[in-house]
Amino acid sequence: MNKYKINGYINKDSMIHKVNPIIKILLLIFNVIVILNVSNIVSYIILYIYIVCVMILSKINIKYYLRNILTMKIFILFILIINFIFGYSIIESARIILNVIYIVICSSIISYTTSTLSINYALEKIFGVFNFIIPSRYIALTIGLSIRFIPIITMEAERITNSISLRGVEYSSIKGKITTISYLFIPLIYLSIKRSEVLASVMEVRLYNTNVKRTYYMYDKIRCKDYVILILNIIILGVTMLFGGRL
């Protein structure tokens, strides 16, 4: 896998892969709510033990999760600088960083164990509940296409970076990295626009219409064990938030 990869389905025969995508998306939302509402060290220890167990059950090599965390190092450094400027305590800064890392791991688990088609299907079903308030199909389609474009853009970034290095541009120093980013920016925008135009043309030719009710080639039904997994996870996370939360 290329070093720029930050998401992408990895096919494994694991318990997490077999969980219904709707349940996984719901648990992701619930995990984010819980991690943003805990404040003591015991709650963080419980949550991190919980998420490490999920990582192990996914059968995905731990280095992929660690690599995703490392991609956030600039963002984490930015958080530390902002907190220092505004006088936040070290404990508060650590809490924010732990929250960011936890959310990144949860998102990585979803992206590695769920195909983009399944994620899009789950989002349509979840947002469909609010169809009378918001255009759920447009939102699901937008998110689904965004997820699909992430690996494509990262592969293009790798190709452009390799081309730059072959031309003798050095980007090991800070100045070199800034120069490389400036070289990447315009080609990536151009390629993204071109791919978007092609995708729009293909959808138009195939008469894609979000205003009509869609049918699915395969329906991923929620089974009894999916409900059991959902209830058990909600109990664990709910008790953790109850005893260590700020609500």
Side-chain angles (χ1 to χ4, degrees), residues 132-144:
F132 63 96
I133 301 175
I134 57 175
S136 59
R137 289 175 185 164
Y138 283 108
I139 295 173
L141 177 63
T142 303
I143 296 173

Side-chain angles (χ1 to χ4, degrees), residues 10-103:
I10 300 175
N11 189 17
K12 295 281 184 179
D13 183 21
S14 75
M15 180 190 297
I16 309 301
H17 282 74
K18 294 175 182 177
V19 176
N20 188 281
I22 298 173
I23 301 297
K24 284 192 270 191
I25 297 294
L26 291 175
L27 286 174
L28 170 64
I29 296 169
F30 195 64
N31 268 281
V32 172
I33 293 170
V34 171
I35 195 66
L36 294 177
N37 286 284
V38 296
S39 55
N40 62 56
I41 187 66
V42 176
S43 299
Y44 277 105
I45 291 172
I46 294 171
L47 287 173
Y48 269 88
I49 291 173
Y50 160 82
I51 204 65
V52 167
C53 290
V54 176
M55 290 163 63
I56 293 169
L57 289 173
S58 72
K59 295 183 181 180
I60 304 295
N61 196 315
I62 195 71
K63 70 180 181 182
Y64 295 135
Y65 295 112
L66 294 176
R67 185 169 55 192
N68 283 358
I69 295 170
L70 288 174
T71 58
M72 302 296 295
K73 60 182 180 291
I74 302 298
F75 181 64
I76 290 171
L77 180 62
F78 177 75
I79 290 172
L80 289 173
I81 293 170
I82 294 298
N83 286 353
F84 176 77
I85 292 171
F86 289 96
Y88 285 96
S89 65
I90 296 175
I91 294 174
E92 185 65 20
S93 300
R95 192 184 69 80
I96 294 171
I97 292 169
L98 287 173
N99 290 352
V100 170
I101 293 172
Y102 188 88
I103 292 170

Side-chain angles (χ1 to χ4, degrees), residues 176-213:
K177 288 179 180 178
I178 294 171
T179 305
T180 305
I181 291 171
S182 66
Y183 290 154
L184 279 171
F185 190 66
I186 294 174
L188 280 179
I189 290 177
Y190 174 76
L191 289 170
S192 298
I193 292 171
K194 292 297 290 182
R195 287 185 179 275
S196 299
E197 289 175 350
V198 171
L199 182 60
S201 299
V202 170
M203 292 175 71
E204 186 177 355
V205 168
R206 294 182 178 181
L207 302 177
Y208 188 91
N209 187 359
T210 55
N211 295 320
V212 297
K213 186 176 181 179

Side-chain angles (χ1 to χ4, degrees), residues 104-142:
V104 168
I105 293 172
C106 289
S107 303
S108 300
I109 291 170
I110 295 292
S111 65
Y112 287 143
T113 63
T114 317
S115 66
T116 51
L117 284 175
S118 297
I119 291 175
N120 196 42
Y121 171 82
L123 290 172
E124 283 193 20
K125 291 296 182 182
I126 293 169
F127 287 129
V129 179
F130 309 100
N131 202 35
F132 63 96
I133 301 175
I134 57 175
S136 59
R137 289 175 185 164
Y138 283 108
I139 295 173
L141 177 63
T142 303

Side-chain angles (χ1 to χ4, degrees), residues 151-169:
I152 294 172
I153 291 172
T154 52
M155 283 191 293
E156 292 291 352
E158 183 181 22
R159 287 174 58 189
I160 295 168
T161 306
N162 290 337
S163 300
I164 292 170
S165 18
L166 286 172
R167 287 173 172 81
V169 177

